[in-house]
Amino acid sequence: MPEPLIFPERFLWGAATAAHQVEGNNANSDWWEWETDPAPKAPMAGPSGMACDHFNRYKDDIALLAELGLNTYRFSVEWARVEPRQGEFDREALQHYADMVDTCLTHGVTPMITLQHFTLPAWVTHAGAWTNAELPAWFTRYTRHVMEHLQNRAPYICTINEPGNMITRGYLGTFPTPPFVRNLDAFDAAASGVIAAHRNAREVIRELAPGVKVGMAHALQDWHANPGGVPAMEWARELHEDRFFAETADDDFIGVQTYTRLDVNAPRITKPLSAALLRSRRLTQSLALPYLRRQAAAVSAEGAPVGEGRRTQMGYLWAPEAVEATTRRVAGLFPGKEIVLTEHGVATDVDSERIDYIRAGLRVVHRLIGDGLPITGYVHWSLLDNFEWWDGYGPKYGLVAVDRSTQERVVKPSAHWYGDVARINRMPT
């Protein structure tokens, strides 16, 4: 019988959520404003509403996570709850998130905090969101209030989740998300704002909580291109990923989040033309960005299969092993830096597929650790079947199902399988 795959001692075995996707009634956020607008700026499957009522049920959910055998919970603090109006900080909301940290610690679970996971307070978005030169200072002030409550009790802080996804979608329109801008100059300004906000927040965290590890969680793709598609692939990767590595060299860890691979193919004869077009900012604005939006829209909101190959409910190509390419790339760019796989998972109604996906991903993780890469944790997305942004409640990512009418939690077989692996720190081959 083959030997089991043994993972390092003190390995972080986790599951993740994000506040807006699970808490419910996040009424002061820009996403809630979009969801409830009678004339929305873009279509979506439905509003978040009560979500999973995690704001009220977090104690039971964290206890369940620990009971399953997991030792890490990644969750986010919701800025719109903490500062619902500019300069007005809600002490009860701040205490709520401190209580979540303490609940984790009570159950022997490592809390991993994200300070900003896609949503912003509505007042921030009304003021220009990430393009407003004041936003880094606002984010710094918010971070200070949060850290004064959390202190050093959460050993990992992700300042910003998937900056590349958030900014390309919000400012280039690859998917419809607030603030619904399609402008390359605005994208550049917003990207600079994110980087400055992260840098400032990192300084505050190190000031108030020495020893806490600070980083960002990056959405990374396993990019592939034929010769004709190379210029477009390199351009898209720079916008989506490389631009946001600017501050990572000074971080304590880097979060890697990979779900699939992306293929960028074009006739070889177009390679020189594509390269020339992308060197022109005007032509990039008028030609390349609409193309990028069309490519993104090829995966339908319903997750219908597109092209060849096995697909998930999101329409993504089934590629659990894609995390190998992205993690090796990060390790090459930032030698020796701690890596945490802060998200990896699959949207599927067939729970046995979730086990297959996790197993394939963990085989890769084990191989990477064996090759000397400093990977210290694997965090599954997600703990609960939750609100999946513009796709609503259709895609099922959770280890735990949630009955939308009763809020009853139903543990799936994949949760027991994954929890057993985490409990004994080894996986059968």
Side-chain angles (χ1 to χ4, degrees):
M1 179 178 293
E3 291 294 321
L5 304 182
I6 301 174
F7 288 80
E9 293 184 11
R10 295 182 293 279
F11 194 73
L12 300 172
W13 294 101
T17 62
H20 187 78
Q21 293 177 266
V22 295
E23 286 185 341
N25 291 331
N26 186 24
N28 292 307
S29 72
D30 55 354
W31 270 78
W32 183 273
E33 190 172 80
W34 171 31
E35 295 167 24
T36 58
D37 190 335
K41 293 183 179 179
M44 66 185 315
S48 56
M50 280 299 296
C52 303
D53 195 28
H54 186 64
F55 191 86
N56 297 307
R57 300 170 186 262
Y58 72 88
K59 290 184 179 179
D60 289 341
D61 289 337
I62 293 170
L64 176 58
L65 178 147
E67 181 182 333
L68 288 170
L70 305 184
N71 63 25
T72 301
Y73 181 36
R74 179 179 174 229
F75 62 92
S76 68
V77 175
E78 181 56 54
W79 187 0
R81 292 189 189 275
V82 170
E83 191 180 4
R85 288 162 293 280
Q86 185 171 5
E88 296 181 17
F89 288 86
D90 188 321
R91 310 301 291 182
E92 291 185 4
L94 286 163
Q95 187 57 49
H96 169 84
Y97 293 110
D99 290 344
M100 288 187 71
V101 168
D102 289 339
T103 300
C104 286
L105 297 175
T106 297
H107 288 281
V109 170
T110 297
M112 182 179 292
I113 309 300
T114 304
L115 295 178
Q116 195 270 335
H117 195 124
F118 289 170
T119 53
L120 291 171
W123 66 264
V124 173
T125 297
H126 293 165
W130 294 102
T131 62
N132 190 315
E134 294 298 313
L135 192 145
W138 297 338
F139 191 72
T140 303
R141 181 181 61 187
Y142 156 69
T143 300
R144 183 172 292 278
H145 278 270
V146 172
M147 294 310 300
E148 285 173 349
H149 278 72
L150 301 187
Q151 300 175 340
N152 63 354
R153 302 200 303 283
Y156 288 86
I157 303 287
C158 297
T159 58
I160 295 168
N161 179 76
E162 296 189 353
N165 256 347
M166 178 175 65
I167 301 304
T168 56
R169 290 171 176 178
Y171 293 88
L172 298 182
T174 54
F175 282 95
T177 66
F180 305 102
V181 174
R182 295 185 177 186
N183 181 280
L184 199 55
D185 290 335
F187 168 84
D188 288 339
S192 296
V194 165
I195 292 168
H198 167 68
R199 181 192 310 124
N200 294 354
R202 185 181 59 211
E203 292 175 0
V204 168
I205 293 165
R206 288 177 173 169
E207 171 197 340
L208 297 180
V212 168
K213 296 179 179 180
V214 186
M216 276 196 285
H218 295 271
L220 306 174
Q221 311 298 329
D222 178 13
W223 298 88
H224 293 259
N226 67 0
V230 167
M233 181 200 74
E234 292 178 343
W235 170 74
R237 186 171 62 187
E238 193 280 328
L239 288 180
H240 191 269
E241 298 177 7
D242 297 359
R243 183 79 61 96
F244 300 95
F245 286 154
E247 284 295 312
T248 299
D250 292 325
D251 290 348
D252 301 304
F253 75 97
I254 182 167
V256 172
Q257 306 189 168
T258 300
Y259 290 86
T260 190
R261 62 173 279 169
L262 289 180
D263 298 295
V264 183
N265 297 322
R268 183 185 294 269
I269 196 171
T270 66
K271 181 177 180 180
L273 178 61
S274 297
L277 286 173
L278 294 172
R279 284 194 294 269
S280 166
R281 191 172 183 84
R282 182 176 63 82
L283 292 176
T284 296
Q285 178 81 34
S286 62
L287 298 177
L289 290 183
Y291 170 78
L292 185 64
R293 289 193 287 272
R294 287 195 301 273
Q295 291 298 102
V299 177
S300 73
E302 293 79 20
V306 180
E308 297 181 359
R310 184 181 183 185
R311 298 276 168 170
T312 75
Q313 282 183 315
M314 297 292 290
Y316 299 163
L317 186 68
W318 179 280
E321 301 90 349
V323 71
E324 178 165 11
T326 58
T327 305
R328 288 193 186 278
R329 182 167 183 256
V330 164
L333 291 170
F334 307 101
K337 188 173 298 297
E338 180 179 355
I339 297 170
V340 180
L341 303 184
T342 42
E343 286 184 25
H344 183 259
V346 61
T348 177
D349 259 333
V350 181
D351 193 56
S352 61
E353 291 188 338
R354 198 175 333 279
I355 296 175
D356 293 343
Y357 195 96
I358 298 172
R359 181 189 288 114
L362 289 178
R363 285 177 180 150
V364 167
V365 173
H366 187 269
R367 181 164 62 248
L368 294 172
I369 292 172
D371 289 345
L373 274 66
I375 301 172
T376 59
Y378 174 93
V379 181
H380 181 268
W381 182 269
S382 62
L383 175 62
L384 304 171
D385 281 340
N386 57 23
F387 176 74
E388 194 52 44
W389 306 110
W390 52 84
D391 286 316
Y393 290 98
K396 306 301 183 187
Y397 275 101
L399 296 166
V400 178
V402 178
D403 186 312
R404 297 277 302 127
S405 60
T406 66
Q407 294 293 346
E408 179 187 3
R409 273 56 168 159
V410 179
V411 178
K412 301 177 186 179
S414 60
H416 290 298
W417 182 90
Y418 176 48
D420 289 345
V421 169
R423 186 177 288 107
I424 64 174
N425 209 40
R426 63 185 63 198
M427 184 182 75
T429 54

